[in-house]
Amino acid sequence: MAEILPPNMLNERPSTPAGLLSSREKDRLIERGFLGLYRWYTARSQETRNWNPDRSFDWKALSKDLPPEIVTVTQGFFAVEQYAPDFTSSLLNLVRRSHGRSHFQLRWGSEEEKHADAWENAVLFSGKRSPQWIAEYKERLKSQTWELPFPDAIHNLVYTVFQERATQLNYLNMMKIAQGKSDKPHLADFSDPVLAKVAQTIAVDEAAHYNFFLEGVRMYLYYYPQRTLEAIKNVIGQFSMPASALVPDWKEFSETVYRAGIYGPRDFNRDVMQVVFRNLGIESRKALEDGIKKTREVPDFDGYNHKGTAIFDTFDYGMVEGDVKRLHIKIQDYEKEIGFDMIDPTEFVENPAVPEAGAKSSGQAADD
Ligand SMILES: [Fe+2]
Ligand SMILES: [Fe+2]
């Protein structure tokens, strides 16, 4: 188009090429997706995961003879989760203009708060820490404030996906140990059904959190691939568990967790990073880094944005599109049940920047 426009009109060209979605429209679509997903999530959370940290477990039956390593790990889980008010307020502030995301953060915070209380009960009923000790420990923890690991919403959203999966993995492995399935000699003879139930119940919540944030990242990846892939690359480059710099006995905790076979760098690579990548259609860390590097080298000329299309080679966009469509079907089914579909339905809108199948890296695409 550039050559047929008179020079004095060049600056008046709309910033979004014809036929492509503007950032405003993409943001609106993502916001609608989040709102629908939040409604679905809340209904499901109340129906299937409405447990109580005091009443849902037989605390009096918790073993009074837990191995010291298990107490250390439980205490560490409690320490991280008790920052729930900080996690919630920081994230909430960041997304306060989004109905779906801000209301979700409140719901999410109420679930994280239950995790803190359940793990605290586990420490208390183990009998290995006195109530006074716990009160003082809590005071120490609360004297520090958790702050966002990244300044912007997209990086924090991506961070949360990895964090929720890592947390879920920690609890699932704790559950296995408490079920008597540890292959570590120092824990082989141990089992405790109450602790196993606590770990399992919380792990189910973490899986639900992981899925919510994953669906969010998929929508970003679909509409804003470049920005989202860059965020993923940055997050994995400096990932650490939340509050690791705030918990005073973190070193002892993380070494105990590692020796117990619960979580370590290998688990992060295999059971966190690779799982998230698979769920986002990214082949590997190397493919991600190479893809981003390549898109930076692609020239941008003649009003055609080749960078925008090259990015679609970095991940399986067909898979991600299918996932975003499926998310919308799930939302639409929910909206039909309630009647939203009659008044204000959530609709899936294709991203026209996505190349046709078999025609990768050709044509025009919006720069995100
Ligand atoms: Fe949690
Ligand atoms: Fe969580």
Side-chain angles (χ1 to χ4, degrees), residues 41 81 108 111-112 115 160 163-165 167-168 171 202 205-210 213:
Y41 177 97
E81 295 275 13
W108 173 86
E111 295 180 2
E112 297 295 359
H115 303 172
T160 317
Q163 177 275 119
E164 293 288 356
R165 171 66 195 162
T167 309
Q168 181 204 5
Y171 297 164
I202 304 181
D205 276 5
E206 306 299 8
H209 297 170
Y210 171 71
F213 292 114

Side-chain angles (χ1 to χ4, degrees), residues 141-162:
L141 294 168
K142 297 241 182 257
S143 70
Q144 308 231 53
T145 313
W146 181 84
E147 272 154 27
L148 292 171
F150 296 93
D152 65 301
I154 178 74
H155 276 81
N156 283 297
L157 177 69
V158 169
Y159 172 78
T160 317
V161 170
F162 287 93

